[in-house]
Amino acid sequence: MMSTTWFESVIEAQRRAKKRLPGSVYSALIAGSEKGLTLADNLSAFEELRFAPRTAGHAPERQLGTTVLGRDVALPVLISPTGVQAVHPDGEVAVARAAAARGTSMGLSSFGSKPIEEVVAANPNTYFQIYWTGTRDDIRRRLDRARAAGAVGIILTLDWSFSHSRDWGSPRIPEKLTVKEMLRFSPEALTHPRWLLDYARTRRLPDLSVPNMAEPGTPIPTFFGAYGQWMQTPPPAWDDVRWLRAQWDGPFLLKGIIRVDEARRAVDAGVSAISVSNHGGNNLDGTPATIRALPSIADAVGDQVEVLLDGGIRRGSDVVKALALGARAVLIGRAYLWGLAANGQAGVENVLDVLRNGIDSTLLALGRRSVQDLSRDDVIVPAGFTAELGRVQGQEADGLTPQH
């Protein structure tokens, strides 16, 4: 008999998360920047793609495993790094355990609520995510800590700029839960007792501290303190990306590519992989969906670096569409956070199982034996679907060689 806590879709995980979480916590998970055009397009673009199924000759078993950055994963779905995961007391550690249980990789945000040492202990296949924050010496110290903790690779996130507004309003999130803030927040918490009880059992309150941004001998900063440092740091140039790459001799993923010309610059900087990303619709609103930009980027650099995608993944069939259009694997963010909110570690495992089952059934219908067998023949791409950014009248921007 199936457990009553089990859910059959990512959308059901979202519904349960909405029911369990205080309104301000839930709204922080779902909102995008400004009007939310990019957030909506990340989702709706997948709906425009159709499949070309086969009806006979299907493989009795399908192979979902692949390799990403030289490491085996049991399915082509990785955990994208997201900031402070106060939707559940165990936060990133629960997510790391779930990813390990399902045989995939964990991305840990430098703005995460759990120290990297605990997360790597829960999942040895952990990548540490870096924002360009502070001085080069500050960044080098974070890399040294990640290396000492056993991180298998680095994720440099560049697809995040300051969003000045959200049309639906940004939730008020306190820097610290003072007595005054607790009184203000109490009506929300009291109407969501299960979420409050989760924290009561740990005998500690949710907070927004980010231990991975702490410097030796200094107090652990809050999320907003670290965010302030990020805002005051001049944005990196491509020379900075090359410098950072030289500091790390292992796998190096650059997250945030949406243009062909910048994909080529990433290759020139020596990265191991890129993720086609718009920060889940939380960067510049009006940017096309990542799945629209994927084909031209995969065509341009897919034979030189691994190409991943994040943004809008809600179903196993979405994963298959991304792989068919050139991605090696995808990263998920909101999907696993909803699972975490709904049922902790088991909820994240549930989300990964939902995606695995969807990938498998889609491969069966397409007559494919393995995720490596997928090709563009498996999807129907409507005219005008693809967004080829970074090309100017047949010649790529910055004087780079065009692809024909």
Side-chain angles (χ1 to χ4, degrees):
M1 183 175 178
M2 187 171 290
S3 169
T4 57
T5 60
W6 175 266
F7 43 83
E8 295 186 354
S9 70
V10 171
I11 301 306
E12 177 60 21
Q14 181 181 359
R15 283 192 285 263
R16 295 190 189 189
K18 183 178 182 179
K19 184 177 180 180
R20 189 180 188 94
L21 294 175
S24 59
V25 178
Y26 176 73
S27 64
L29 295 185
I30 63 168
S33 61
E34 297 186 342
K35 190 177 181 179
L37 296 173
T38 297
L39 174 63
D41 196 35
N42 274 351
L43 296 170
S44 63
F46 280 101
E47 299 175 6
E48 298 178 32
L49 298 168
R50 297 290 186 266
F51 287 117
R54 295 169 176 82
T55 54
H58 295 166
E61 295 183 0
R62 279 73 55 197
Q63 300 298 319
L64 274 61
T66 188
T67 60
V68 178
L69 293 168
R71 303 186 73 86
D72 292 335
V73 289
L75 73 166
V77 180
L78 281 64
I79 297 297
S80 186
T82 61
V84 180
Q85 295 176 8
V87 299
H88 190 277
D90 294 336
E92 295 85 356
V93 171
V95 177
R97 289 172 178 157
R102 294 301 181 263
T104 195
S105 301
M106 169 75 183
L108 172 65
S109 173
S110 55
F111 284 6
S113 63
K114 301 295 182 183
I116 185 171
E117 293 80 8
E118 291 184 21
V119 175
V120 171
N123 187 339
N125 197 11
T126 292
Y127 294 81
F128 185 60
Q129 178 263 352
I130 290 281
Y131 284 112
W132 190 263
T133 303
T135 66
R136 285 189 172 186
D137 285 342
D138 294 333
I139 295 169
R140 190 184 286 112
R141 280 193 291 271
R142 289 178 205 127
L143 289 177
D144 289 343
R145 180 178 175 183
R147 188 179 291 110
V152 297
I154 288 297
I155 302 172
L156 171 62
T157 296
L158 296 183
D159 60 333
W160 186 31
S161 60
F162 179 67
S163 177
H164 289 274
S165 65
R166 288 172 168 169
D167 284 14
W168 39 75
S170 295
R172 175 181 166 81
I173 302 175
E175 189 156 357
K176 293 183 179 180
L177 276 181
T178 62
V179 172
K180 180 179 178 180
E181 290 293 346
M182 289 172 63
L183 289 172
R184 185 193 64 80
F185 188 69
S186 60
E188 280 192 64
L190 291 174
T191 56
H192 295 79
R194 289 188 298 167
W195 180 81
L196 189 62
L197 182 60
D198 285 340
Y199 276 95
R201 287 170 177 154
T202 68
R203 298 183 180 180
R204 59 184 176 83
L205 293 169
D207 63 46
L208 295 179
S209 61
V210 284
N212 296 309
M213 293 294 289
E215 298 296 338
T218 64
I220 295 175
T222 64
F223 176 89
F224 292 105
Y227 186 85
Q229 184 188 35
W230 169 77
M231 287 189 65
Q232 295 169 27
T233 303
W238 283 105
D239 283 345
D240 294 313
V241 176
R242 280 187 284 271
W243 171 84
L244 185 61
R245 179 63 181 109
Q247 309 308 305
W248 185 268
D249 58 3
F252 189 108
L253 169 64
L254 176 58
K255 182 176 179 291
I257 297 297
I258 200 75
R259 297 168 55 104
V260 171
D261 53 347
E262 292 206 318
R264 292 190 175 281
R265 282 187 174 275
V267 171
D268 291 342
V271 306
S272 314
I274 60 174
S275 180
V276 181
S277 174
N278 52 39
H279 214 79
N282 278 292
N283 198 17
L284 177 63
D285 200 25
T287 302
T290 53
I291 192 67
R292 299 187 191 279
L294 173 64
S296 58
I297 291 174
D299 286 346
V301 301
D303 60 342
Q304 300 170 73
V305 294
E306 294 181 14
V307 178
L308 283 70
L309 174 136
D310 69 81
I313 300 294
R314 299 291 184 270
R315 300 165 184 84
S317 58
D318 296 338
V319 179
V320 171
K321 289 172 182 177
L323 270 56
L325 292 184
R328 171 67 66 90
V330 304
L331 299 106
I332 58 170
R334 288 183 178 91
Y336 77 78
L337 289 174
W338 292 326
L340 179 65
N343 197 24
Q345 176 183 337
V348 180
E349 293 175 7
N350 194 157
V351 165
L352 291 170
D353 288 343
V354 165
L355 294 176
R356 168 187 284 280
N357 293 341
I359 296 167
D360 184 65
S361 62
T362 306
L363 287 179
L364 174 62
L366 293 173
R368 295 301 192 186
R369 185 179 300 274
S370 165
V371 291
Q372 279 91 4
D373 295 336
L374 291 164
S375 75
R376 295 190 188 177
D377 291 340
D378 294 311
V379 292
I380 302 167
V381 181
F385 176 85
T386 302
E388 294 191 65
L389 308 182
R391 296 182 187 271
V392 181
Q393 296 180 349
Q395 186 175 18
E396 293 182 15
D398 302 311
L400 298 173
T401 304
Q403 293 289 296
H404 300 288

